[in-house]
Amino acid sequence: MKLDIENLSYRYTATPALDGVSLSVAAGQLVTVIGLNGAGKTTLLRCLSTLTVPQRGTIFCDGQPLARSDIALRRRIFFIPDTPQLFPDRTVIQNLAVISRIYGADTPDAPERAIRTLRELDMLPHAYTPVRELSRGQQYKTALTALVLVDADLWLLDEPFAAGMDPLGNAFLRKQIRAATARGKTVLYTTQLPELAEQFSDTLAVLHQARLCAFAPVADITAQFKGAPDALEAFFQSLRDPPQ
């Protein structure tokens, strides 16, 4: 899915959460949204998921304006917040069945794919466990399984590598993201970890004080700090403490 964001703005209070953010993301691109606390990362993903309606600006998905009323377009988007929104009293399998039905992904092969994914994530023993009894990492694995089943065109992941998953889950997530982008899916994930952003990204979208201050490959953003041991950290330091 090609994504075009034009002049996106949103305020929770007097302080803006997003202030005139504009960017274009090609289909099949992996974008890491990075910034300091309160930079607007989560708000950006919430706007892209339609959970938050921007107060100004427009979002286009494959050239089509994104609106909450457009259910068909929203089904092409899957958002996993930092705490997955699941049905706590239903089992893992029941959650997967409901979510697949909502997204129109309840195909004849869905149960087999669900079992295969749960097994790979070491979640099969918990298939009939109510979600409320799972750890945070296991809940995220449940949401991740749903994402794989739905296979949306736009993946929105808020702090997925800080969601409490074990190394098995994080490795699976990386593999699925790369496989998805190879199929033409577009993936945006947020992080506050410069080392992760440097290692796992096609393009960085750097938010600072609600504004987009950089949108480019990491090598281009950190070029001026090549001599520093942690170039991306040095870049963020320069945002916080600009030279006088």
Side-chain angles (χ1 to χ4, degrees):
M1 176 184 285
K2 186 178 187 299
L3 193 62
D4 293 291
I5 301 170
E6 297 180 359
N7 197 33
L8 205 65
S9 298
Y10 187 83
R11 289 175 179 264
Y12 290 104
T13 59
T15 303
L18 293 173
D19 187 5
V21 171
S22 298
L23 58 88
S24 293
V25 182
Q29 194 170 9
L30 170 59
V31 177
T32 304
V33 183
I34 189 168
L36 304 177
N37 290 336
K41 304 184 297 297
T42 296
T43 302
L44 175 61
L45 263 59
R46 286 182 60 86
C47 288
L48 293 173
S49 71
T50 74
L51 289 179
T52 294
V53 178
Q55 293 154 343
R56 190 173 72 244
T58 310
I59 300 167
F60 295 92
C61 299
D62 285 338
Q64 184 176 348
L66 178 62
R68 297 186 79 171
S69 58
D70 192 337
I71 302 301
L73 183 54
R74 290 177 63 191
R75 279 180 169 175
R76 299 177 59 198
I77 302 168
F78 201 103
F79 174 45
I80 305 182
D82 58 349
T83 300
Q85 300 301 301
L86 300 166
F87 301 98
D89 293 324
R90 298 194 179 189
T91 67
V92 169
I93 285 292
Q94 289 172 332
N95 268 272
L96 297 178
V98 171
I99 294 170
S100 296
R101 195 175 308 123
I102 290 171
Y103 278 85
D106 50 344
T107 56
D109 67 334
E112 180 184 345
R113 292 191 295 120
I115 290 171
R116 185 168 61 246
T117 304
L118 290 172
R119 181 181 291 115
E120 191 167 353
L121 285 167
D122 197 29
M123 283 290 292
L124 202 52
H126 307 287
Y128 295 97
T129 302
V131 162
R132 58 179 162 73
E133 297 180 12
L134 300 177
S135 70
R136 183 181 178 219
Q138 290 169 332
Q139 290 184 19
Y140 202 92
K141 286 182 178 181
T142 302
L144 180 54
T145 302
L147 171 61
V148 170
L149 291 177
V150 170
D151 197 25
D153 293 326
L154 176 60
W155 296 21
L156 304 171
L157 310 172
D158 196 10
E159 296 283 355
F161 296 102
M165 287 196 297
D166 54 29
L168 184 70
N170 286 327
F172 178 84
L173 176 58
R174 287 175 183 255
K175 181 178 74 172
Q176 291 299 321
I177 287 175
R178 282 305 185 191
T181 55
R183 297 193 304 273
K185 312 295 184 180
T186 303
V187 181
L188 279 76
Y189 81 91
T190 66
T191 185
Q192 298 181 70
L193 304 175
E195 61 273 17
L196 174 64
E198 288 191 70
Q199 297 165 6
F200 192 64
S201 181
D202 295 335
T203 301
L204 294 186
V206 182
L207 292 175
H208 185 63
Q209 296 180 351
R211 295 188 175 186
L212 183 72
C213 64
F215 183 66
V218 62
D220 294 350
I221 292 174
T222 60
Q224 58 182 312
F225 300 100
K226 277 188 176 179
D230 297 298
L232 197 53
E233 287 188 13
F235 171 74
F236 276 104
Q237 188 70 32
S238 72
L239 293 178
R240 194 184 68 175
D241 303 313
Q244 300 299 318

